[in-house]
Amino acid sequence: AASANLAKILTPNNWSALATDLSANHYRITGVELGGTSGAEEINGIVRFGDGSEAQNSMALVAHDLVLDRVYVHGLPTQAVRRCVNLQSATSAIVDSWLSECHSNNGDSQGIVGWNGPGPYLIKNNHIEGGHQAVFFGGADPFITNLSPSDITIIGNHITRPASWVNVWQTKTIIETKNARRMLLEGNVIENVWASAQAGYALLLKSENQSGTAPW
């Protein structure tokens, strides 16, 4: 990133460096470094596409046609980052990018997470690090009736976490779903799973009505 002289968008606090409004659409973010300043002790999500809250309660409000392309999204080694990319949108892609230092001991942390967007999603040719999960769909009930994140393509990625995180940052699984439909995992390198906050499964795929509000 330094040698490429990337433009930087850095948050100084808990708020995202980059976030979309409701119904935002057709943005492609290319060649940008996204993260937090050293003064940001904890970041809830560096990038937020869509909205995971009850404000996004209908399909008409979902942001869509969004792409992260050749971006560097990262926390700092000592920084608590709950999510590097919060993916609550429709028709979105993360390609050819580097997501790292996505970790926290103050609640579950992910490289990529989504629960309130319909997809489809393309996650292709990225380096993805995540503490509790590197890639996670579900974990909270959606606020849009009958929604499940769907048509998720995860191909050609390096999905990992550094061994230096052992006894420093909590980990659980590395790829997990609780609410997802039609997901393809193909041609990925998936590594570095150990017992920490959980037993440490590489893959945990299940269907769960997380909070009792999504019986579908």
Side-chain angles (χ1 to χ4, degrees), residues 3-198:
S3 62
N5 197 28
L6 299 182
K8 296 182 181 182
I9 304 175
L10 305 177
T11 176
N13 50 40
N14 186 51
W15 295 91
S16 299
L18 177 69
T20 58
D21 284 338
L22 295 172
S23 306
N25 61 86
H26 290 89
Y27 285 91
R28 187 182 194 98
I29 311 302
T30 304
V32 179
E33 179 178 351
L34 297 141
T37 66
S38 58
E41 295 182 2
E42 183 171 1
I43 304 171
N44 188 50
I46 295 173
V47 176
R48 178 177 58 77
F49 279 177
D51 193 323
S53 77
E54 60 186 350
Q56 183 173 293
N57 58 15
S58 77
M59 291 296 292
L61 297 174
V62 178
H64 60 90
D65 291 279
L66 305 169
V67 179
L68 292 176
D69 170 23
R70 289 164 287 168
V71 298
Y72 177 32
V73 184
H74 67 99
L76 300 174
T78 59
Q79 196 171 52
V81 176
R82 293 289 305 280
R83 290 120 187 167
C84 272
V85 178
N86 201 334
L87 199 57
Q88 313 291 354
S89 53
T91 314
S92 300
I94 303 170
V95 296
D96 303 330
S97 295
W98 189 280
L99 284 58
S100 60
E101 301 288 357
C102 314
H103 44 51
S104 175
N105 293 332
N106 303 324
D108 281 13
S109 58
Q110 296 90 24
I112 299 170
V113 65
W115 61 84
N116 200 38
Y121 300 119
L122 173 64
I123 301 170
K124 181 179 180 181
N125 194 37
N126 305 286
H127 175 96
I128 306 169
E129 299 176 11
H132 294 82
Q133 299 89 14
V135 178
F136 187 24
F137 287 95
D141 285 346
F143 291 95
I144 300 173
T145 302
N146 293 323
L147 184 142
S148 293
S150 302
D151 301 298
I152 303 162
T153 301
I154 303 173
I155 56 174
N157 301 281
H158 185 196
I159 300 172
T160 187
R161 52 175 69 105
S164 60
W165 291 6
V166 175
N167 297 324
V168 177
W169 297 106
Q170 291 179 0
T171 64
K172 290 184 177 178
T173 58
I174 200 160
I175 297 176
E176 182 171 346
T177 66
K178 290 186 177 178
N179 181 17
R181 296 176 177 170
R182 299 184 300 274
M183 184 166 76
L184 172 67
L185 287 165
E186 183 174 272
N188 302 282
V189 174
I190 302 167
E191 63 177 3
N192 289 358
V193 185
W194 53 81
S196 177
Q198 285 183 349

